Amino acid sequence: MTLGLDLDFGRLPTLERRALWPGTTKQNDGRGAEQGPAAGGSAGAEPGLSGRELRIAAAIAEAAMPPGRFLGGAGAETASRLSGWLSAIPPHLGQGLRAALWALELAPVPIRLRPLSALPLEERMEVLRGFEQSRTRALRALLKAVLTPLRFLHFDRPEMFKHVGCRYELPTVRDEEPRWLAQVTNGREIEEDLELECEVLVIGTGAGGAAAAYELASRGHAVLMLEEGDYHRRSSFTGRPARAYRDMYRDHGLDVALGNVAIPVFAGRAVGGSTVINSGTCYRAPERTFASWREGMGLPAEFSSEGLAPYYERVEQMLQVAPADPLHLGAIGPIIRRGAERLGYQHGPLVRNAPDCDGQGLCCFGCPTGAKRSTDVSYVPEALKRGAQLITAAHVRTIDIVAGRARGATATLGSDVSAAGRASKGTRRRPRLVVRAEAVVVAGGALMTPLLLRRSGACLPSGMLGKNLSIHPASKVMALFDERIDQWQGIPQGYQIDHFADEGLMFEGGSLPFDVAALAVPWTGHRYTELMERYPHLATFGFMIKDTSRGEVRPGLGGSPLVLYTMNQEDTAKMQRGIELLCEVFLAAGARRVLPLVAGCDEVNSPADLERLRARQIRAGDLDVAAFHPLGTCRIGVDPRSSCLGPDHQAHDVAGLYVCDGSAIPSSLGVNPQMTIMAMSLRAAQIIGERLST
């Protein structure tokens, strides 16, 4: 089959279309936790921990998660599961975790003259409680690094969910076989080197790449999409976070920004990119943000609410954007409404891209019903219907630049260490794919795009590549109520308080499944288990800030990004204010206990407690922070000395090379960015299409 300008796919082997697509695993056999690397390691893999390390892990697990009234305690079995899990993740991450294990093991020696695993259980609990309450950020970070996988593996069992009345897993559905799937090629099944030609090569299928591919294909151009991850369909979305982290998140969801606070930074790695694992929240960027771009960076008038309105409207039509259905908000919506109304704060349902949502509560782990209009079910299929082609499991190594112009890219096909852990010895060389194109659109996201461009020698003159990173730092507050909350039921992020948006504070729901909630509580020992046994009565709500801090992305170990980010005092104060306001809302709503998740401040249960929290000078390292919206690492601008791209998204120094993803966004938006990325990508694709047609 030949498409457009010599885009010849006749050389590709005819591939069997299977119900289980690449990147998915065999479904649960009914015996409990899923079999596979996330639960027990790769088949035939060597143990990830030595015998001594297994004993250390078991000793820590036993002290951190003792048995309760009905929840079983952790111990040797949990350590064994950790060993299997370590054998399945990228080696550099496993080595870091083993180092953290040993650091905790040896930490008590100067005072207690014995390593942690040699102490009696009560002493171990006392030591861990000291780490948990320490004002030394490094100790708390070490404890969190070790406890996060131990807790996840301990709670990722059907019997644990049954004890608290939660659903563990959804039944597997049968995938449909639409005609456009014939234009999707699984790179893992290609066995020989390939050379292909097209008009436009689009690298990445997230919010930016998929929208650009759709627009260009709609204009009649021959488009080839390359995606590093796999095409997961509804049969993959069974509601298990463990499977999603392994198969759909970059680096198993273990990328962390290093600085004065360790911040997990989450990004997708699949067809659909981060739209597959996001909450589905849809905002237009506020005019005040666009005004700062025009006034501070000299961007043209098109970068305004009015100028981008036609593109936003097209995005909203494609995503079928509408307010969340009140029937599926769960218990958290009425609770936040009650507290906000008593305090006089503006609030309401969030606007989302899930018109047929039935409140499964699993948006961040792949929508099991297909209701969420992530790009894998919207822009990508629509691009394929218009003649585009897609190759999955394609890791692009370099952009091919000839005489100052992008002429294509070189990729390797099939699984690699970053996707599936340690590569086995003797693995044959993976096939190479060379694509020649008239224009190249890079859309790998703010973490990976700068790494690819740096390897390719592009966007370097300004010195800004990889810098200017904003992340919308986010945190949450938890609260216990007398009434049942059952936060696993309903839209996880369906309600908002937007009263403080002008201050750069957006409050958005953040309900958590049982095993993910287990990671959010920084406590250890009996009080930790007691709290988890009350999960049905536990509520979670989150917020994010428009950050003024800026970080950087550099090449890291094993092809992963090294993310550096230091939170400044202004943003730290803004985070503290967000926590204080959420505590106030929960108290006004009638919470029995409020947990701000701030080091040294376990609970805020009265107005007096709230005043004490307000009087504290919280440091960045005292906060529990995560990030879901990395932006700005290859920003647009008019001055080549301070930006990487022009207002048309073309690289200042390489003709025919465009960037259409979050890395092109020049500053923090203050709202969820997917709609802005899509709108700006449609605009950029329109420019590219017009240039190719002249």
Side-chain angles (χ1 to χ4, degrees):
M1 175 177 65
T2 302
L3 175 67
L5 293 180
D6 298 323
L7 183 56
D8 189 355
F9 283 81
R11 296 182 57 198
L12 297 183
T14 301
L15 303 179
E16 179 185 358
R17 306 296 170 185
R18 301 173 180 169
L20 286 174
W21 269 65
T24 65
T25 59
K26 291 184 179 180
Q27 304 302 317
N28 191 338
D29 61 5
R31 293 177 296 176
E34 67 176 78
Q35 306 300 305
S42 303
E46 295 182 3
L49 296 176
S50 67
R52 173 70 185 276
E53 290 165 342
L54 280 168
R55 291 192 294 274
I56 296 170
I60 293 172
E62 183 184 29
M65 296 171 282
R69 291 184 299 112
F70 51 82
L71 286 180
E77 181 183 349
T78 312
S80 178
R81 289 165 62 83
L82 177 67
S83 184
W85 179 79
L86 281 174
S87 70
I89 66 174
H92 66 282
L93 297 176
Q95 291 162 4
L97 184 55
R98 292 175 70 178
L101 268 177
W102 279 104
L104 290 182
E105 168 75 342
L106 299 176
V109 171
I111 295 176
R112 299 180 185 261
L113 305 180
R114 284 186 292 175
L116 183 64
S117 62
L119 297 175
L121 177 59
E122 291 301 322
E123 280 194 59
R124 270 182 276 142
M125 287 183 170
E126 184 180 341
V127 169
L128 293 188
R129 179 67 183 270
F131 292 165
E132 165 203 320
Q133 295 293 311
S134 174
R135 294 305 300 274
T136 302
R137 180 174 59 86
L139 278 177
R140 296 198 313 276
L142 280 173
L143 184 64
K144 183 176 182 179
V146 172
L147 288 185
T148 295
L150 282 173
R151 284 173 169 168
F152 196 71
L153 295 166
H154 176 60
F155 283 89
D156 180 32
R157 295 180 292 160
E159 60 268 28
M160 301 294 276
F161 281 66
K162 184 177 180 180
H163 284 317
V164 293
C166 296
R167 174 193 62 214
Y168 177 74
E169 188 170 30
L170 296 172
T172 303
V173 300
R174 185 180 181 86
D175 290 321
E176 298 177 353
E177 298 291 327
R179 293 181 62 183
W180 50 260
L181 279 180
Q183 290 161 241
V184 179
T185 299
N186 178 4
R188 301 185 191 281
E189 298 183 6
I190 296 176
E191 298 181 352
E192 60 181 15
D193 292 346
L194 291 174
E195 292 188 10
L196 301 172
E197 293 186 6
C198 61
E199 273 189 284
V200 186
L201 173 63
V202 178
I203 301 168
T205 58
Y214 162 78
E215 178 67 16
L216 288 160
S218 298
R219 291 170 173 267
H221 296 289
V223 176
L224 171 62
M225 295 177 280
L226 298 183
E227 169 56 52
E228 183 182 17
D230 296 306
Y231 206 152
H232 300 280
R233 305 188 64 219
R234 283 184 58 194
S235 61
S236 301
F237 303 148
T238 60
R240 296 306 316 123
R243 180 175 296 151
Y245 285 131
R246 181 190 65 205
D247 294 340
M248 292 174 249
Y249 280 69
R250 180 161 299 283
D251 291 327
H252 296 239
L254 296 175
D255 286 328
V256 175
L258 304 177
N260 58 352
V261 55
I263 305 175
V265 183
F266 297 99
R269 187 179 185 271
V271 173
S274 294
T275 70
V276 176
I277 58 165
N278 72 14
S279 62
T281 300
C282 293
Y283 284 105
R284 295 188 183 194
E287 174 56 31
R288 60 182 176 274
T289 296
F290 293 131
S292 71
W293 295 359
R294 297 192 304 272
E295 296 164 9
M297 305 174 194
L299 288 176
E302 296 166 77
F303 291 95
S304 63
S305 297
E306 182 180 359
L308 287 176
Y311 304 103
Y312 275 125
E313 289 168 4
R314 292 176 55 197
V315 171
E316 289 164 347
Q317 183 177 11
M318 174 66 77
L319 302 188
Q320 301 178 36
V321 171
D325 187 342
L327 291 175
H328 300 301
L329 290 177
I332 191 65
I335 283 173
I336 296 301
R337 180 174 63 241
R338 186 167 71 221
E341 285 181 350
R342 289 174 179 173
L343 296 168
Y345 297 157
Q346 183 174 308
H347 60 90
L350 277 167
V351 177
R352 307 181 68 246
N353 64 342
D356 299 316
C357 176
D358 61 356
Q360 294 283 341
L362 297 166
C363 306
C364 296
F365 309 106
C367 178
T369 65
K372 186 178 73 172
R373 299 278 293 165
S374 46
T375 62
D376 59 311
V377 298
S378 56
Y379 277 113
V380 169
E382 292 302 320
L384 294 170
K385 291 175 186 177
R386 288 157 176 78
Q389 299 280 337
L390 168 63
I391 300 178
T392 64
H395 180 72
V396 177
R397 298 296 182 182
T398 57
I399 307 299
D400 298 330
I401 301 171
V402 180
R405 186 173 189 87
R407 293 295 186 182
T410 300
T412 51
L413 301 173
S415 61
D416 58 16
V417 169
S418 64
R422 296 174 174 83
S424 59
K425 294 181 179 179
T427 301
R428 64 176 179 81
R429 183 184 72 84
R430 286 175 283 134
R432 187 179 71 160
L433 169 65
V434 176
V435 180
R436 296 184 179 88
E438 295 186 34
V440 176
V441 175
V442 178
L447 300 184
M448 302 307 292
T449 285
L451 303 189
L452 171 58
L453 295 175
R454 188 173 298 280
R455 289 197 302 269
S456 306
C459 298
L460 299 177
S462 69
M464 291 302 297
L465 183 65
K467 298 181 179 179
N468 189 51
L469 173 70
S470 63
I471 59 174
H472 284 162
S475 192
K476 58 189 171 294
V477 172
M478 307 179 90
L480 278 169
F481 285 82
D482 291 333
E483 63 200 89
R484 284 186 70 98
I485 305 300
D486 291 327
Q487 60 176 303
W488 61 279
Q489 295 180 323
I491 301 169
Q493 194 172 94
Y495 212 77
Q496 67 173 345
I497 299 173
D498 56 353
H499 192 86
F500 303 93
D502 288 344
E503 297 182 30
L505 276 166
M506 288 296 297
F507 295 86
E508 303 173 356
S511 296
L512 303 172
F514 179 51
D515 47 353
V516 179
L519 312 181
V521 181
W523 298 351
T524 59
H526 293 295
R527 68 173 186 158
Y528 172 79
T529 302
E530 290 166 2
L531 181 64
M532 293 314 302
E533 289 185 329
R534 297 211 62 198
Y535 171 78
H537 296 265
L538 190 64
T540 307
F541 209 75
F543 69 95
M544 68 179 187
I545 67 168
K546 182 178 181 181
D547 48 335
T548 59
S549 309
R550 291 295 179 266
E552 182 177 357
V553 176
R554 300 177 183 175
L557 296 173
S560 297
L562 172 62
V563 185
L564 306 175
Y565 185 92
T566 296
M567 187 180 293
N568 62 30
Q569 290 185 351
E570 178 182 349
D571 289 344
T572 302
K574 201 179 297 182
M575 294 291 290
Q576 179 170 352
R577 176 157 167 75
I579 290 169
E580 293 166 359
L581 288 168
L582 264 185
C583 289
E584 184 181 38
V585 169
F586 272 135
L587 288 173
R592 179 70 64 181
R593 298 166 62 189
V594 179
L595 318 177
L597 307 179
V598 173
C601 182
D602 288 342
E603 299 192 27
V604 173
N605 298 329
S606 68
D609 290 343
L610 184 57
E611 287 306 312
R612 280 190 287 272
L613 175 62
R614 286 174 172 151
R616 286 192 57 185
Q617 185 70 38
I618 291 178
R619 301 174 299 182
D622 296 336
L623 300 167
D624 180 58
V625 187
F628 306 90
H629 307 146
L631 302 169
T633 53
C634 188
R635 69 181 180 189
I636 60 173
V638 296
D639 188 350
R641 296 171 298 179
S642 59
S643 60
C644 299
L645 314 170
D648 58 358
H649 290 248
Q650 183 173 226
H652 287 306
D653 59 329
V654 181
L657 175 61
Y658 299 84
V659 176
C660 294
D661 59 19
S663 71
I665 304 290
S667 76
S668 178
L669 294 176
V671 296
N672 303 57
Q674 69 171 345
M675 285 233 308
T676 300
I677 294 171
M678 292 174 182
M680 290 176 61
S681 295
L682 289 179
R683 173 185 172 275
Q686 178 179 306
I687 294 171
I688 297 168
E690 290 170 352
R691 290 176 179 173
L692 289 172
S693 299
T694 57

